[in-house]
Structures are given as structure tokens and as C-alpha cells.
Amino acid sequence: MNKKIEIGEIFTVSKTENKFLEVTFSYPKGIIWSGCLPIHYSPMSINLNDKEIEELSHHAYDELSPEKIAGNILKTKKRWSKNNTSETYKVFKSLLSAQWECRTCGAGKINNQPAARIRDIKKNGFIVATKNKYCIECKKKQYHDILLVFEVNSKIKTEFRKPISNLTKKKIFSELSKKDVFFNSIRPENEFIIDHKFPSQRWTEPESDNVNLSPEYIRNKFQLLTNQTNMLKSRVCDECFRTAIRPSFLGIDWFYSGDKDWKPNSNIGSGCYGCPWFDLEKWKKEINKLLVIKKLP
């Protein structure tokens, strides 16, 4: 690997499955960039192998060079498509340095719930890593965050995912009865992730704008999960994308359409149709129908 690129340790962001690789880039005139690369990042279905990590390290090295870094920070700033007076945007701006920022010294002074604001930034399609590091100003270890300002060649480009307005979110929550389809329970809105039934790993074009959605369209496109179960779905969909073998649901190998092989077809969701993770509510209804038939004399 290029001598100007120093590889460090792999670390996992607390309370997530997201993994990053520490890197240090050295440039002429003693300029140093110390940060990280995403190697497993569920929100964008990034799961890189060794070759892809090496390719990304050289790409990031170029993009973070003294000649390019300011332009990439500006491009990242322009990608913000929501209200630029919101509390989340203020935290987003504080991270636009492309460097590790102490949460106590920075975002924590801007907003009293910086962790929640950073989660919102990630939902808007940005990659943020978090690590416990020593802060020179605080004189102790604190959480630090870094917003990555270079493009990652992932299976699903960030621009494929369209934003969902707060008004549309309300409509989705109402239409889906605020029901967690995994645990079959009613939950507060702030506990939900609006999950696209058809996994982004398999998208080949940008999704349509999430505006003026009909009730039928909402039911066909979305389901409600928690952050934990959404990450679980992302992991099994990653594996299916790699192997074309559809996953079971908690050890139950049953599909209401097709078998374990992912095969494209004309149904909504193509080869995902019939998989429990594609539409958990329908899968449960179909398996319950089967159980009733089995009980008949």
C-alpha cells in the first residue's frame, strides 16, 4: 500500500454494527489527515472487502488532499436538502471540518442532544463515525465525531435515496397505524425507522420522490421497524445480495412465494417478494393462513 497511507485499527461505533478503519494520510509540507474509512456501514449498505478498502483508501487520499479538501467540504455542505435553520443543521455545520470534533467542545455546546442530531444527519445520507478519543481542550477522553466528505463507492449511491418530509412521515405513521411489524406492537413515532421494503442493496436507479403518496403506495413501499430490527434486516439483506440465498426469519425457512433462491420476477419487489423480511406483516398473515389450513380435519 502507498507509503503515504498508514492503516490503523478497526473500531465499531458504540451501540451500532458500523465498523470503520483508522487511517492517516501524509501529504507534502508535513500536512496530515487522520480519520477513518467505512468498512461496514448499515445505513448505506456499505460492506467492503479488502480490495475495496484498498481502492477506497487511495480514492479518499486524493479527495482529502490539500488541493481538493475545501471543494469536497463545500460539495458536502450543498448536499444538505432540508431546513438550514434547524438544530440538526447547526450540528451538521459544526462537523464540516472533515476532522475529528470533540462532542463536548463542539456539538454538545450547540445542542443539548447531539447524539440525536447526529443520528438525523446519518438518516439524511451522510456518513458520520464516532470514537472515544483524548481531547486536548477537555484534557480527557470524550466522544469525537467525524463527518466524511468523500464519496464512497457503495452498492447504493446516496443520491438514490430521496428525503421524506415530516408531513409525509406523519402520513406514513398514520397509514401504518404506528405498528412495529417485527414485534407486532404499537410504538411512539420517535422509536421507528421507516423501512423501504425493497432493500436499497438492490436499487439500480433513484427512488421516486416521496410526495403525494397514496395509502396503497405507502403500504406497498414501507414498513415500520425499530433501529435494532432495521439493522438486522440490513445485515441479512447484505448477505442475500452477496449470495442470492434468501434468509430465514428467526430460523423459520418458509416463503409464501418462491424458495430460498433469489430470482427476479414480475412481482412488487422482484425476487424479494415472498421473503419474510421484504414484508413482515404479509409473511405473518400468510403463515397464519397455512396454520389454519393445517388445523382443518
Side-chain angles (χ1 to χ4, degrees):
M1 196 169 271
N2 194 312
K3 293 180 180 179
K4 297 177 182 177
I5 300 173
E6 181 181 343
I7 300 299
E9 296 181 348
I10 293 174
F11 66 93
T12 301
V13 176
S14 177
K15 299 181 181 179
T16 76
E17 296 178 339
N18 300 328
K19 293 182 180 180
F20 292 83
L21 175 67
E22 293 179 328
V23 291
T24 301
F25 297 157
S26 300
Y27 299 97
K29 299 181 180 180
I31 297 174
I32 302 291
W33 183 85
S34 294
C36 60
L37 306 175
I39 58 176
H40 179 81
Y41 192 72
S42 297
M44 288 174 58
S45 301
I46 294 170
N47 197 28
L48 305 182
N49 58 35
D50 290 345
K51 182 180 178 182
E52 290 168 330
I53 293 169
E54 183 173 357
E55 291 172 351
L56 178 60
S57 67
H58 288 283
H59 168 70
Y61 183 89
D62 292 337
E63 294 299 296
L64 295 168
S65 67
E67 297 79 18
K68 290 186 177 182
I69 190 168
N72 279 309
I73 289 174
L74 182 59
K75 282 197 294 186
T76 302
K77 183 178 181 180
K78 288 180 177 179
R79 278 176 47 211
W80 186 268
S81 60
K82 296 193 173 184
N83 183 356
N84 61 6
T85 62
S86 67
E87 292 300 309
T88 300
Y89 180 73
K90 293 175 184 176
V91 173
F92 172 74
K93 276 189 67 177
S94 75
L95 297 178
L96 277 173
S97 64
Q99 304 290 340
W100 286 107
E101 297 288 348
C102 174
R103 190 176 292 182
T104 300
C105 296
K109 290 185 176 180
I110 295 169
N111 186 274
N112 59 5
Q113 292 184 311
R117 302 287 76 78
I118 289 168
R119 283 197 299 270
D120 289 341
I121 292 169
K122 293 177 183 178
K123 290 177 185 177
N124 288 340
F126 298 91
I127 301 177
V128 182
T130 301
K131 196 174 190 296
N132 205 13
K133 296 167 58 71
Y134 182 79
C135 176
I136 298 175
E137 292 188 27
C138 297
K139 305 298 183 186
K140 59 182 178 180
K141 277 196 167 185
Q142 302 278 19
Y143 278 125
H144 284 64
D145 306 289
I146 186 169
L147 173 67
L148 302 186
V149 298
F150 52 88
E151 183 180 349
V152 178
N153 184 21
S154 63
K155 298 181 184 71
I156 170 65
K157 292 184 178 180
T158 305
E159 60 265 28
F160 277 13
R161 190 180 294 273
K162 296 297 180 65
I164 304 176
S165 69
N166 288 333
L167 185 63
T168 301
K169 286 179 182 178
K170 291 284 186 184
K171 188 175 181 180
I172 293 170
F173 290 139
S174 176
E175 183 60 36
L176 300 182
S177 304
K178 300 181 183 178
K179 184 180 179 182
D180 172 359
V181 292
F182 189 97
F183 290 106
N184 204 41
S185 60
I186 307 300
R187 294 181 181 272
E189 293 178 5
N190 62 1
E191 294 185 16
F192 283 123
I193 298 292
I194 297 175
D195 172 61
H196 293 72
K197 290 182 179 180
F198 187 57
S200 59
Q201 290 91 329
R202 296 193 179 275
W203 294 5
T204 57
E205 59 185 25
E207 71 171 316
S208 55
D209 291 331
N210 293 305
V211 294
N212 300 321
L213 307 184
S214 69
E216 182 182 9
Y217 186 87
I218 289 172
R219 291 193 298 272
N220 285 335
K221 184 174 182 179
F222 300 112
Q223 61 186 350
L224 300 179
L225 299 172
T226 64
N227 184 57
Q228 180 183 15
T229 53
N230 184 63
M231 287 194 296
L232 181 57
K233 178 188 173 182
S234 180
R235 188 169 68 216
V236 298
C237 290
D238 281 342
E239 183 67 17
C240 178
F241 185 84
R242 288 193 296 269
T243 64
I245 302 298
R246 303 201 295 183
S248 65
F249 178 69
L250 302 182
I252 303 172
D253 292 315
W254 184 80
F255 310 91
Y256 57 82
S257 178
D259 53 27
K260 286 186 73 71
D261 294 327
W262 193 99
K263 298 174 183 176
N265 58 59
S266 59
N267 290 312
I268 295 174
S270 188
C272 296
Y273 184 81
C275 173
W277 295 95
F278 173 70
D279 189 334
L280 269 166
E281 186 169 32
K282 180 173 176 58
W283 184 83
K284 289 176 182 179
K285 285 180 180 178
E286 294 299 326
I287 201 170
N288 277 327
K289 287 180 186 178
L290 184 66
L291 292 173
V292 170
I293 293 172
K294 292 290 185 182
K295 287 178 183 179
L296 293 177

